[in-house]
């Protein structure tokens, strides 16, 4: 979920990087503080609840509505306090004490307090919430008991007073402060959650720079500036309108006419070469490397993928070079879960070679010499269905008959979060972009046992308890002197995962985004890139 080259394509960061003038473009930029920007997406948003929302589309909107104890220096991966003013860490690395900012109010007018921090984290961990981010907080004392449903509280979170909260961990956690900057740890008020229940995601209340003014399903979301925001001079915009139901090609045409400022789904693949070769767009297109991997999940609970030989066969059958050509060469073939820029990437690992003949042999050894039928789920936004068809053709060549289910992104995510729904998922459009620049983030939510839960993102439902124990040991190495040894452990963990083949890593993508002339013409319309640029495409952040 990130910046790409350790500086992902946070739209905010990319927008802020442009240097052309309104005169050059003939634009008529709005005055400072008087602006509204229009963003388009093909699909509607599933939720704005920070405990639930976990895709690149809703993540930036959630970031606009809520704040956490920690955040990042604009355009960097450097942590800083946000709703906290400062913090201390005990010598043994087991206790974190945060002093909180006074006078911060939720959108409902009530002051933010330490009790809200405790409630927020306990709500995320509570299995009734079905938060895909629950596993991030497994080192907090009491996690095991609450996640098992034995209690509804975390003994490791203590409200010292209204403006002080203390966390006690079961073991040192090298990524704990990063986790406190995640959207899952963004603070919610108990009274608003209880008022709306499961509909809180449609009626979000936070402390963020924007408040939700209107959400007309299937049409638009309107975010209005929070005049009482705790950071002076933020936000710069009066409002942000997110229009949904817009086909990417139509959105591009509207952007050309000045009706849209950011095409949220990016440059349509069918228009990519045309846009990239047109001098008119030279200063409007930005790109960046990503801490990103697109992959096929193989549900290890569902036949035939409960058989290792079948999973290995699929890894050998997929022609990754051909898939990269489908997206106009905007990526590099992948051979492991970690992207090349992530610490722990194994440069010596060669992965599974493209070998259809060997794949056929493995299928026969697994008992499927006469072929096998299965289903591949895919998001319905181009080019994802075309990539799914390429995968379908590759697997047909080794005797696998694959039915493609092309659905709205939210529906694919929902299917992946159920143990018995999706035998295979092509992750394109929902592929993993790191939440923070640490290899642990490519494990817990998507390959660890903690992510193999209802509503989780471990769509292969892969759970290797021995590797979970090794991962826990690696994350306990919080002393800076252990940093290199810790990364070596993670490198070994991901190599062992590939031996079990729960995924087919397909490619590491480069992201291209196009903005309207007025967005790059006037600082008054720029959205500050406050979050880690190695995350999703932040459009509407502070």
């Amino acid at each position: 979920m990130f910046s790409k080259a350790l500086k992902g394509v946070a739209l905010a960061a990319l927008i802020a990087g442009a240097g052309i003038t309104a005169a050059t473009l003939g634009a008529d930029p709005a005055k400072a503080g008087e602006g509204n920007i229009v963003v388009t997406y093909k699909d509607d948003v599933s939720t704005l609840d920070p405990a639930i929302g976990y895709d690149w589309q809703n993540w930036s909107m959630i970031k606009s509505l809520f704040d956490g104890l920690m955040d990042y220096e604009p355009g960097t991966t450097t942590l800083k306090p946000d709703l906290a003013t400062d913090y201390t860490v005990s010598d043994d690395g087991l206790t974190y004490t945060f002093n909180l900012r006074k006078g911060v109010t939720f959108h409902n007018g009530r002051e933010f307090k330490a009790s809200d921090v405790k409630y927020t984290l306990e709500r995320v961990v509570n299995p009734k919430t079905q938060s895909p981010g629950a596993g991030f907080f497994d080192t907090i004392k009491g996690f095991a008991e609450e996640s098992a449903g034995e209690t509804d509280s975390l003994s490791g979170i203590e409200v010292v007073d209204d403006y002080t909260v203390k966390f006690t961990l079961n073991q040192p956690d090298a990524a704990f402060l990063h986790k406190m900057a995640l959207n899952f740890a963004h603070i919610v008020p108990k009274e608003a959650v209880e008022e709306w229940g499961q509909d809180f995601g449609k009626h979000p209340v936070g402390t963020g720079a924007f408040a939700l003014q209107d959400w007309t399903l299937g049409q638009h979301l309107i975010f209005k500036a929070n005049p009482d925001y705790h950071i002076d001079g933020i936000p710069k915009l009066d409002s942000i309108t997110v229009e949904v139901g817009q086909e990417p090609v139509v959105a591009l045409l509207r952007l050309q006419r000045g009706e849209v400022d950011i095409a949220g789904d990016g440059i349509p693949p069918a228009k990519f070469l045309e846009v990239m070769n047109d001098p008119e767009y030279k200063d409007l297109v930005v790109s960046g490397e990503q801490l990103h991997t697109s992959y096929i999940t193989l549900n290890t609970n569902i036949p035939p993928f409960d058989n290792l030989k079948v999973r290995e066969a699929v890894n050998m059958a997929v022609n990754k070079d051909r898939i990269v050509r489908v997206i106009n060469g905007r990526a590099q073939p992948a051979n492991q879960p970690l992207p090349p820029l992530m610490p722990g990437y194994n440069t010596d690992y060669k992965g599974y070679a493209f070998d259809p003949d060997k794949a056929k042999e493995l299928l026969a050894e697994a008992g499927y010499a006469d072929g096998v039928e299965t289903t591949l789920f895919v998001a319905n936004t181009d080019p994802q269905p075309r990539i799914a068809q390429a995968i379908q053709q590759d697997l047909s060549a080794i005797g696998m008959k694959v039915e493609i289910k092309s659905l709205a992104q939210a529906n694919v995510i929902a299917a992946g979060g159920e143990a018995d729904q999706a035998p295979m998922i092509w992750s394109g459009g929902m592929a993993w972009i790191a939440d923070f620049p640490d290899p642990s983030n490519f494990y817990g939510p998507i390959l660890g046992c903690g992510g193999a839960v209802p509503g989780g993102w471990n769509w292969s439902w892969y759970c290797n308890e021995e590797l979970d124990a090794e991962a826990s040991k690696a994350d306990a190495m919080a002393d800076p002197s252990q940093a290199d040894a810790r990364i070596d452990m993670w490198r070994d963990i991901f190599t062992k995962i590939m031996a079990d083949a729960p995924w087919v890593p397909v490619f590491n993508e480069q992201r291209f985004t196009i903005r309207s002339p007025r967005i790059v013409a006037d600082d008054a319309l720029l959205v500050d890139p406050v979050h880690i640029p190695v995350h999703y495409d932040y459009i509407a952040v502070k």
Side-chain angles (χ1 to χ4, degrees):
M1 298 160 125
F2 289 164
S3 162
K4 320 322 186 149
L6 280 186
K7 139 203 182 162
V9 260
L11 286 187
L14 298 173
I15 289 170
I20 58 179
T21 67
T24 302
L25 294 168
D28 183 20
K31 305 288 184 192
E34 298 176 359
N36 171 69
I37 65 170
V38 178
V39 182
T40 64
Y41 288 105
K42 181 179 184 293
D43 293 326
D44 207 341
V45 181
S46 57
T47 182
L48 292 174
D49 184 342
I52 304 297
Y54 203 23
D55 63 66
W56 64 271
Q57 183 173 331
N58 64 26
W59 194 273
S60 62
M61 301 179 201
I62 289 171
K63 178 65 183 174
S64 303
L65 298 168
F66 299 89
D67 298 302
L69 298 183
M70 301 295 294
D71 208 330
Y72 294 87
E73 294 288 350
T76 76
T77 58
T78 303
L79 284 159
K80 69 171 184 177
D82 187 7
L83 289 180
T85 57
D86 55 63
Y87 61 90
T88 59
V89 185
S90 62
D91 291 340
D92 61 7
L94 295 177
T95 303
Y96 289 72
T97 302
F98 295 87
N99 296 310
L100 307 184
R101 194 180 297 273
K102 298 179 180 179
V104 176
T105 58
F106 289 105
H107 299 146
N108 63 9
R110 201 256 293 168
E111 188 181 8
F112 152 72
K113 298 289 183 65
S115 57
D116 297 308
V117 178
K118 182 173 174 66
Y119 170 76
T120 293
L121 272 297
E122 289 176 343
R123 175 175 179 254
V124 171
V125 172
N126 192 318
K128 294 179 181 178
T129 305
Q130 293 192 11
S131 171
F136 281 119
F137 309 105
D138 60 350
T139 55
I140 299 176
K141 189 176 180 181
F143 173 88
E145 293 79 1
E146 187 179 4
S147 61
E150 298 171 2
T151 178
D152 59 2
S153 64
L154 288 170
S155 59
I157 304 180
E158 177 187 352
V159 176
V160 179
D161 56 44
D162 281 349
Y163 303 105
T164 311
V165 62
K166 180 187 294 185
F167 290 80
T168 301
L169 309 185
N170 290 314
Q171 64 177 46
D173 185 349
F176 184 72
L177 290 176
H178 284 293
K179 295 173 183 179
M180 289 297 101
L182 289 172
N183 279 12
F184 297 117
H186 280 20
I187 311 303
V188 300
K190 181 178 181 180
E191 67 274 15
V193 174
E194 292 183 341
E195 175 183 358
W196 293 106
Q198 292 185 346
D199 286 335
F200 178 70
K202 295 291 191 293
H203 303 274
V205 177
T207 63
F210 291 87
L212 180 65
Q213 182 179 32
D214 178 65
W215 186 351
T216 301
L217 294 179
Q219 297 183 34
H220 64 247
L221 300 92
I222 299 175
F223 300 88
K224 184 178 181 181
N226 177 5
D228 300 316
Y229 193 58
H230 66 270
I231 300 178
D232 290 339
I234 302 295
K236 295 180 179 180
L237 296 169
D238 284 340
S239 61
I240 298 167
T241 299
V242 178
E243 297 183 0
V244 298
Q246 295 282 317
E247 290 292 337
V249 172
V250 175
L252 178 62
L253 293 173
R254 294 186 64 210
L255 186 144
Q256 292 169 329
R257 295 197 299 261
E259 300 171 4
V260 169
D261 294 302
I262 297 174
D265 291 309
I267 302 171
K271 294 286 186 178
F272 180 75
L273 295 178
E274 175 186 330
V275 169
M276 296 303 291
N277 293 328
D278 190 334
E280 178 183 353
Y281 294 108
K282 180 177 181 294
D283 294 309
L284 304 182
V285 175
V286 289
S287 65
E289 299 296 326
Q290 306 184 79
L291 290 177
H292 159 284
T293 302
S294 285
Y295 48 90
I296 305 165
T297 59
L298 308 175
N299 192 320
T300 57
N301 287 343
I302 298 178
F305 303 116
D306 56 348
N307 188 308
L308 173 60
K309 291 183 182 295
V310 175
R311 301 196 300 271
E312 291 176 329
V314 175
N315 268 275
M316 294 179 181
V318 175
N319 188 335
K320 301 173 186 179
D321 290 327
R322 182 164 71 114
I323 291 174
V324 168
R325 290 196 295 272
V326 170
I327 60 172
N328 299 302
R330 291 180 292 167
Q332 295 294 324
N335 64 10
Q336 59 191 284
L338 291 183
L341 293 171
M342 179 67 81
Y345 178 82
N346 189 346
T347 56
D348 295 326
Y349 179 71
K350 302 303 181 185
Y352 294 90
F354 176 56
D355 191 341
D357 291 334
K358 178 63 177 177
K360 288 180 184 179
E361 292 178 13
L362 287 170
L363 271 188
E365 292 173 12
Y368 297 105
D370 296 328
V372 63
E373 297 183 4
T374 190
T375 305
L376 173 64
F377 284 65
V378 61
N380 59 9
T381 300
D382 190 59
Q384 311 314 333
R386 290 192 289 122
I387 293 174
Q389 289 169 1
I391 295 168
Q392 180 187 50
Q393 293 167 7
D394 288 339
L395 297 184
S396 176
I398 67 167
M400 296 186 71
K401 183 178 180 180
V402 178
E403 176 191 0
I404 294 175
K405 279 198 174 182
S406 181
L407 306 171
Q409 177 175 287
N411 294 335
V412 178
I413 293 171
E418 297 294 333
D420 60 352
Q421 294 297 306
M424 303 173 69
I425 294 177
W426 163 241
S427 72
M430 307 160 293
W432 198 252
I433 308 176
D435 299 289
F436 47 86
D438 188 270
S440 64
N441 184 233
F442 264 76
Y443 179 78
I446 50 177
L447 285 162
C449 297
V453 295
W457 275 64
N458 184 344
W459 300 336
S460 63
W461 289 81
Y462 172 72
C463 176
N464 184 322
E465 293 183 356
E466 291 183 3
L467 290 186
D468 254 29
E470 290 186 33
S472 180
K473 183 178 178 180
D475 275 345
M477 301 169 71
D479 191 302
S481 66
Q482 300 174 301
D484 290 342
R486 177 175 178 270
I487 294 301
D488 287 342
M489 283 193 67
W490 274 116
R491 185 178 294 108
D492 182 62
I493 288 169
F494 283 103
T495 302
K496 290 177 179 176
I497 287 172
M498 286 308 300
D500 285 338
W503 278 15
V504 181
V506 177
F507 59 66
N508 306 115
E509 187 176 5
Q510 187 175 22
R511 180 78 172 176
F512 294 82
T513 303
I514 183 169
R515 301 80 39 79
S516 69
R518 76 184 194 114
I519 282 290
V520 297
D522 190 340
D523 286 345
L525 291 177
L526 302 184
V527 184
D528 289 350
V530 298
H531 199 53
I532 183 171
V534 267
H535 215 327
Y536 294 114
D537 294 338
Y538 285 106
I539 293 169
V541 296
K542 304 170 189 174

